[in-house]
Amino acid sequence: MQVRLGRGNSGYLDQVNLSPEFVEALRIIVGGNNVLTEDLASYGTDWTGRFIGSPSLVVRPGSTSEVSQVMHLCSKHNIAVVPQGGNTGLVGGTLASEGQVIVSTRRLNSLGPVETASQQISVGAGATVEQVHEAADSHGLRYAVDFGARGSATIGGTIATNAGGINVLRFGSTRHQVVGIEAVLPNGEVIEHMAGLMKDNTGYDIASLLCGSEGTLGIVTAARLRLLPLHTSRTTVLLGCNSTDEVVHVVQGVRQQFDSLDAAELFYADGANLVAEAFNVVIPFVAPVYLLLEFSADVDLASDIERHLAQSNFAGLSAVAQDELGRTRLWRLREEHTAAISTHGVPHKFDVTVAVSDLPEFIEKTRQRISETNTDWTVFIFGHAADGNMHVNVLGPSATDELLDEVVLQVVAEFKGSISAEHGIGSAKKKWLSLSRSQNEIALMKAIKGAIDPQGMMNPNTLFAN
Ligand code: FAD
Ligand code: 2HG
Ligand code: ZN
């Protein structure tokens, strides 16, 4: 059973039957081919298949001006709007009810020139993360945000979720890469602040406010992004560890020793085996816990890393890759977890953070509480070890089950962690927002939302439970 949305819960904004005049006015703005009223399943269902909405219409504007006109029209007709980029989000953040309109940003996919002097690029919100990587790479530069859904996730979506990924420990999350923003407010007004000045203390930081706003404040239409020098040498190391304690110990040592550490990813034998079976990926050696480390620098670091591990008494097995093929082979073991789990059913997903030093105890307690709740459920844990950000995936409970969510998120609260490290609150976790944010904070967020979106028309099923 999936979580299905029928009639919306945003009050007077839901008009289950969109008027022919409204639909015709949209067609005039974006062209008839870009107003879809049938076969909306790929827009209406989330990546996991757990959240199924029932949008009445999808509109695909091709420019900022078209987005502005669409928003003005929706506001005039009191129609709720759900922004959507690549639809790779994992928390039901693009779930639209009947009578609501999905604004797809995928046609806003322009890529400006890579500006090597400023090391910046301006891109449309619909450009994918991978397109930005390719553009930067061709100029000896690099875009710091990276993760498995790079081929489909859009820059607008990554800004709206403040996406994290594998390189946060070295370069920060999406928020830290955004140096300029263009967005359309619910009433159709355009906000543009794209100069990309490195120093600019002229009042509130609107770009930062939109980072993590999950489509509840407006539609990001373009962004200016910081790029970084691309190092000449990359070294990827897979370590076989005996315990989560050992992983934490190795990560701490490596971080202290190497400022060239880009990524430190943890996964267990059960997840590695699942990936190996699902996608025919070779596991180089058997271990209870794996730690995947990646370093980039302008010198070859392989022997330094080997020396460091020997000096810190690391006694497990390891595999090293410095070429693209070898690197990809090792990374698949980690990155294909999400897809491999989905081949066995529709999971419940949690993306949580606790203090890195608490990881061993947190993981043990989470597994214990879940098995006390239901011994038939299967649990996979993996994630970004240096950030204390674990992904807990559970197969077994029905999509609408809330007991599991309650159990896992309460453990997170006991550890004073965050119930969303990187995917956002969406519709999946809005009921539990108060576990991570105080009543005063939630009231302030609602006041900001009310000031920018007084009609409550932006993504009404996301972030706030009421
Ligand atoms: P969508 O899914 O379309 O939308 C996500 C949210 O952003 C929704 O609330 C939507 O309303 C809003 N939104 C989208 N575009 C706009 C816009 N232009 N303006 C305003 N609001 C907008 N996430 C991570 O953080 N780290 C990871 O490591 C990671 N790995 C992943 C691996 C896989 C295999 C998959 C499937 C997903 C992964 N994700 C990860 C989750 C997902 O890719 C990110 O949340 C991503 O940022 C979503 O981008 P999108 O374009 O698909 O957004
Ligand atoms: C990752 O780190 C993503 O691979 C997805 O954030 C996590 O599938 C998940 O739960
Ligand atoms: Zn992640």
Side-chain angles (χ1 to χ4, degrees), residues 257 398 407:
Q257 193 66 30
S398 78
V407 166

Short mmCIF file of all heavy atoms in Angstrom, two decimals, residues 257 398 407:
data_model
loop_
_atom_site.label_atom_id
_atom_site.label_comp_id
_atom_site.label_asym_id
_atom_site.label_seq_id
_atom_site.Cartn_x
_atom_site.Cartn_y
_atom_site.Cartn_z
N GLN A 257 44.88 13.81 9.70
CA GLN A 257 46.12 13.71 8.94
C GLN A 257 46.02 14.30 7.54
O GLN A 257 46.97 14.85 7.02
CB GLN A 257 46.49 12.22 8.84
CG GLN A 257 47.89 11.94 8.38
CD GLN A 257 48.93 12.43 9.38
OE1 GLN A 257 48.66 12.46 10.59
NE2 GLN A 257 50.07 12.87 8.89
N SER A 398 4.31 -1.38 5.87
CA SER A 398 3.55 -0.83 4.75
C SER A 398 3.89 0.66 4.62
O SER A 398 4.38 1.29 5.57
CB SER A 398 2.05 -1.00 4.98
OG SER A 398 1.61 -0.01 5.88
N VAL A 407 9.45 5.12 16.02
CA VAL A 407 10.52 4.42 16.75
C VAL A 407 11.88 4.98 16.36
O VAL A 407 12.69 5.37 17.21
CB VAL A 407 10.44 2.89 16.45
CG1 VAL A 407 11.71 2.17 16.89
CG2 VAL A 407 9.22 2.29 17.14
#
